[in-house]
Short mmCIF file of all heavy atoms in Angstrom, two decimals:
data_model
loop_
_atom_site.label_atom_id
_atom_site.label_comp_id
_atom_site.label_asym_id
_atom_site.label_seq_id
_atom_site.Cartn_x
_atom_site.Cartn_y
_atom_site.Cartn_z
N GLU O 885 -121.87 26.65 2.58
CA GLU O 885 -121.51 26.60 4.01
C GLU O 885 -122.74 26.56 4.93
O GLU O 885 -122.68 25.96 6.00
CB GLU O 885 -120.71 27.88 4.36
CG GLU O 885 -119.25 27.78 3.92
CD GLU O 885 -118.46 29.04 4.19
OE1 GLU O 885 -119.07 30.08 4.46
OE2 GLU O 885 -117.23 28.93 4.25
N THR O 886 -123.78 27.19 4.43
CA THR O 886 -125.01 27.24 5.33
C THR O 886 -125.97 26.08 5.01
O THR O 886 -127.00 25.94 5.69
CB THR O 886 -125.67 28.56 5.17
OG1 THR O 886 -125.89 28.89 3.76
CG2 THR O 886 -124.90 29.71 5.81
N ALA O 887 -125.74 25.31 3.95
CA ALA O 887 -126.59 24.20 3.60
C ALA O 887 -126.51 23.09 4.68
O ALA O 887 -125.50 22.94 5.30
CB ALA O 887 -126.23 23.63 2.27
N PRO O 888 -127.63 22.33 4.91
CA PRO O 888 -127.53 21.26 5.90
C PRO O 888 -126.70 20.07 5.46
O PRO O 888 -126.30 19.29 6.26
CB PRO O 888 -129.02 20.90 6.08
CG PRO O 888 -129.73 21.35 4.84
CD PRO O 888 -128.95 22.50 4.31
N GLU O 889 -126.52 19.94 4.16
CA GLU O 889 -125.77 18.77 3.68
C GLU O 889 -124.28 18.80 4.18
O GLU O 889 -123.72 19.90 4.20
CB GLU O 889 -125.79 18.69 2.13
CG GLU O 889 -127.12 18.39 1.51
CD GLU O 889 -128.04 19.59 1.39
OE1 GLU O 889 -127.63 20.71 1.63
OE2 GLU O 889 -129.22 19.35 1.03
N PHE O 890 -123.79 17.70 4.49
CA PHE O 890 -122.44 17.59 5.02
C PHE O 890 -121.44 17.56 3.83
O PHE O 890 -121.03 16.43 3.35
CB PHE O 890 -122.25 16.41 5.92
CG PHE O 890 -120.94 16.48 6.77
CD1 PHE O 890 -120.97 17.08 7.99
CD2 PHE O 890 -119.76 16.08 6.23
CE1 PHE O 890 -119.82 17.18 8.74
CE2 PHE O 890 -118.58 16.18 6.97
CZ PHE O 890 -118.59 16.75 8.21
N VAL O 891 -121.07 18.73 3.33
CA VAL O 891 -120.09 18.77 2.18
C VAL O 891 -118.95 19.69 2.69
O VAL O 891 -119.23 20.80 3.11
CB VAL O 891 -120.77 19.27 0.94
CG1 VAL O 891 -119.74 19.48 -0.20
CG2 VAL O 891 -121.92 18.43 0.47
N VAL O 892 -117.75 19.11 2.54
CA VAL O 892 -116.55 19.88 2.88
C VAL O 892 -115.92 20.45 1.73
O VAL O 892 -115.73 19.79 0.71
CB VAL O 892 -115.58 18.99 3.61
CG1 VAL O 892 -114.25 19.66 3.96
CG2 VAL O 892 -116.16 18.35 4.91
N VAL O 893 -115.59 21.76 1.76
CA VAL O 893 -114.85 22.39 0.65
C VAL O 893 -113.33 22.15 0.96
O VAL O 893 -112.82 22.71 1.94
CB VAL O 893 -115.14 23.90 0.54
CG1 VAL O 893 -114.39 24.50 -0.62
CG2 VAL O 893 -116.63 24.14 0.39
N ASP O 894 -112.72 21.34 0.14
CA ASP O 894 -111.32 21.02 0.40
C ASP O 894 -110.40 22.16 -0.09
O ASP O 894 -109.49 22.61 0.64
CB ASP O 894 -110.91 19.75 -0.25
CG ASP O 894 -111.60 18.56 0.38
OD1 ASP O 894 -111.77 18.55 1.54
OD2 ASP O 894 -112.04 17.63 -0.39
N ASN O 895 -110.58 22.57 -1.32
CA ASN O 895 -109.79 23.71 -1.83
C ASN O 895 -110.53 24.32 -3.01
O ASN O 895 -111.38 23.69 -3.57
CB ASN O 895 -108.33 23.39 -2.08
CG ASN O 895 -108.18 22.34 -3.21
OD1 ASN O 895 -108.57 22.63 -4.34
ND2 ASN O 895 -107.58 21.20 -2.86
N ILE O 896 -110.10 25.52 -3.32
CA ILE O 896 -110.71 26.24 -4.45
C ILE O 896 -109.63 26.83 -5.35
O ILE O 896 -108.67 27.40 -4.87
CB ILE O 896 -111.57 27.42 -3.85
CG1 ILE O 896 -112.68 26.92 -2.99
CG2 ILE O 896 -112.12 28.33 -4.97
CD1 ILE O 896 -113.47 27.98 -2.27
N GLU O 897 -109.82 26.59 -6.67
CA GLU O 897 -108.87 27.18 -7.60
C GLU O 897 -109.64 28.24 -8.42
O GLU O 897 -110.75 27.96 -8.91
CB GLU O 897 -108.31 26.11 -8.53
CG GLU O 897 -107.34 25.16 -7.89
CD GLU O 897 -107.01 23.92 -8.73
OE1 GLU O 897 -107.19 24.03 -9.95
OE2 GLU O 897 -106.72 22.93 -8.15
N LEU O 898 -109.05 29.42 -8.62
CA LEU O 898 -109.66 30.45 -9.39
C LEU O 898 -108.90 30.68 -10.61
O LEU O 898 -107.69 30.83 -10.59
CB LEU O 898 -109.75 31.75 -8.52
CG LEU O 898 -110.46 31.66 -7.21
CD1 LEU O 898 -110.12 32.80 -6.33
CD2 LEU O 898 -111.92 31.57 -7.37
N GLY O 899 -109.56 30.67 -11.75
CA GLY O 899 -108.92 30.93 -13.05
C GLY O 899 -109.50 32.13 -13.75
O GLY O 899 -110.69 32.32 -13.72
N GLN O 900 -108.64 33.03 -14.20
CA GLN O 900 -109.10 34.14 -14.93
C GLN O 900 -109.73 33.82 -16.23
O GLN O 900 -109.10 33.05 -16.97
CB GLN O 900 -107.87 35.15 -15.09
CG GLN O 900 -108.26 36.53 -15.59
CD GLN O 900 -108.78 37.38 -14.45
OE1 GLN O 900 -108.24 37.54 -13.39
NE2 GLN O 900 -110.00 37.93 -14.69
N GLY O 901 -110.88 34.34 -16.53
CA GLY O 901 -111.53 34.05 -17.88
C GLY O 901 -110.76 34.86 -18.89
O GLY O 901 -110.15 35.88 -18.61
N ALA O 902 -110.85 34.44 -20.16
CA ALA O 902 -110.18 35.09 -21.26
C ALA O 902 -110.72 36.55 -21.43
O ALA O 902 -111.97 36.71 -21.33
CB ALA O 902 -110.33 34.35 -22.56
N GLU O 903 -109.84 37.46 -21.64
CA GLU O 903 -110.24 38.86 -21.90
C GLU O 903 -111.18 39.41 -20.78
O GLU O 903 -112.14 40.06 -21.03
CB GLU O 903 -110.95 39.02 -23.28
CG GLU O 903 -110.03 38.65 -24.45
CD GLU O 903 -108.81 39.55 -24.60
OE1 GLU O 903 -108.97 40.79 -24.47
OE2 GLU O 903 -107.75 39.00 -24.83
N GLY O 904 -110.87 39.06 -19.57
CA GLY O 904 -111.62 39.58 -18.45
C GLY O 904 -113.03 39.03 -18.42
O GLY O 904 -113.96 39.65 -17.85
N GLY O 905 -113.25 37.87 -19.09
CA GLY O 905 -114.59 37.26 -19.04
C GLY O 905 -114.84 36.57 -17.67
O GLY O 905 -114.20 36.89 -16.68
N ALA O 906 -115.82 35.60 -17.77
CA ALA O 906 -116.25 34.99 -16.53
C ALA O 906 -115.09 34.21 -15.82
O ALA O 906 -114.15 33.70 -16.51
CB ALA O 906 -117.37 34.01 -16.80
N LEU O 907 -115.13 34.23 -14.51
CA LEU O 907 -114.12 33.61 -13.67
C LEU O 907 -114.32 32.06 -13.77
O LEU O 907 -115.50 31.62 -13.69
CB LEU O 907 -114.27 34.11 -12.26
CG LEU O 907 -113.18 33.88 -11.27
CD1 LEU O 907 -111.96 34.67 -11.61
CD2 LEU O 907 -113.69 34.34 -9.88
N SER O 908 -113.30 31.33 -13.88
CA SER O 908 -113.40 29.86 -13.88
C SER O 908 -113.03 29.37 -12.46
O SER O 908 -111.96 29.70 -11.99
CB SER O 908 -112.50 29.27 -14.91
OG SER O 908 -112.42 27.89 -14.73
N VAL O 909 -113.91 28.61 -11.87
CA VAL O 909 -113.67 28.12 -10.49
C VAL O 909 -113.68 26.61 -10.48
O VAL O 909 -114.65 25.96 -10.93
CB VAL O 909 -114.79 28.60 -9.55
CG1 VAL O 909 -114.42 28.26 -8.13
CG2 VAL O 909 -115.06 30.08 -9.71
N THR O 910 -112.60 26.06 -9.91
CA THR O 910 -112.56 24.59 -9.72
C THR O 910 -112.66 24.36 -8.18
O THR O 910 -111.82 24.82 -7.40
CB THR O 910 -111.24 24.02 -10.22
OG1 THR O 910 -111.14 24.38 -11.61
CG2 THR O 910 -111.21 22.48 -10.15
N LEU O 911 -113.68 23.68 -7.83
CA LEU O 911 -113.88 23.38 -6.38
C LEU O 911 -113.58 21.94 -6.14
O LEU O 911 -114.07 21.03 -6.84
CB LEU O 911 -115.40 23.65 -6.03
CG LEU O 911 -115.84 25.06 -6.00
CD1 LEU O 911 -117.26 25.18 -6.42
CD2 LEU O 911 -115.63 25.68 -4.63
N HIS O 912 -112.81 21.68 -5.11
CA HIS O 912 -112.56 20.29 -4.68
C HIS O 912 -113.39 20.06 -3.41
O HIS O 912 -113.08 20.77 -2.41
CB HIS O 912 -111.03 20.03 -4.47
CG HIS O 912 -110.30 20.06 -5.74
ND1 HIS O 912 -109.60 21.18 -6.14
CD2 HIS O 912 -110.08 19.11 -6.71
CE1 HIS O 912 -109.05 20.96 -7.30
NE2 HIS O 912 -109.34 19.68 -7.68
N LEU O 913 -114.36 19.21 -3.47
CA LEU O 913 -115.27 19.01 -2.38
C LEU O 913 -115.20 17.57 -1.88
O LEU O 913 -114.76 16.70 -2.66
CB LEU O 913 -116.70 19.34 -2.78
CG LEU O 913 -116.93 20.71 -3.49
CD1 LEU O 913 -118.33 20.71 -4.17
CD2 LEU O 913 -116.75 21.85 -2.53
N SER O 914 -115.71 17.34 -0.71
CA SER O 914 -115.82 15.94 -0.18
C SER O 914 -117.06 15.79 0.59
O SER O 914 -117.48 16.76 1.33
CB SER O 914 -114.64 15.62 0.72
OG SER O 914 -113.41 15.66 0.02
N THR O 915 -117.55 14.58 0.54
CA THR O 915 -118.53 14.22 1.53
C THR O 915 -118.14 12.79 2.01
O THR O 915 -117.28 12.14 1.36
CB THR O 915 -120.01 14.22 1.04
OG1 THR O 915 -120.84 14.07 2.15
CG2 THR O 915 -120.30 13.18 0.02
N TYR O 916 -118.65 12.37 3.10
CA TYR O 916 -118.17 11.09 3.69
C TYR O 916 -119.38 10.18 4.03
O TYR O 916 -120.49 10.70 4.36
CB TYR O 916 -117.39 11.36 4.95
CG TYR O 916 -116.13 12.21 4.75
CD1 TYR O 916 -116.22 13.66 4.66
CD2 TYR O 916 -114.98 11.61 4.53
CE1 TYR O 916 -115.10 14.36 4.42
CE2 TYR O 916 -113.76 12.37 4.36
CZ TYR O 916 -113.84 13.75 4.29
OH TYR O 916 -112.74 14.49 4.02
N TYR O 917 -119.20 8.92 3.93
CA TYR O 917 -120.19 7.94 4.34
C TYR O 917 -119.50 6.72 4.89
O TYR O 917 -118.35 6.47 4.67
CB TYR O 917 -121.16 7.61 3.20
CG TYR O 917 -120.46 7.01 1.99
CD1 TYR O 917 -120.34 5.63 1.83
CD2 TYR O 917 -119.92 7.90 0.98
CE1 TYR O 917 -119.73 5.12 0.72
CE2 TYR O 917 -119.24 7.38 -0.15
CZ TYR O 917 -119.23 5.98 -0.24
OH TYR O 917 -118.54 5.48 -1.35
N ARG O 918 -120.31 5.99 5.63
CA ARG O 918 -119.75 4.76 6.23
C ARG O 918 -120.27 3.57 5.54
O ARG O 918 -121.52 3.39 5.41
CB ARG O 918 -120.15 4.68 7.74
CG ARG O 918 -119.42 3.63 8.50
CD ARG O 918 -119.58 3.90 9.97
NE ARG O 918 -118.94 2.82 10.71
CZ ARG O 918 -119.58 1.91 11.40
NH1 ARG O 918 -120.89 1.95 11.41
NH2 ARG O 918 -118.98 0.97 12.05
#
Side-chain angles (χ1 to χ4, degrees):
Chain O
E885 282 179 340
T886 50
E889 289 84 6
F890 195 94
V891 177
V892 174
V893 182
D894 294 323
N895 65 62
I896 298 174
E897 290 169 24
L898 301 165
Q900 189 77 53
E903 297 297 318
L907 195 67
S908 167
V909 187
T910 305
L911 291 147
H912 292 97
L913 311 167
S914 295
T915 191
Y916 299 83
Y917 58 94
R918 191 165 176 252

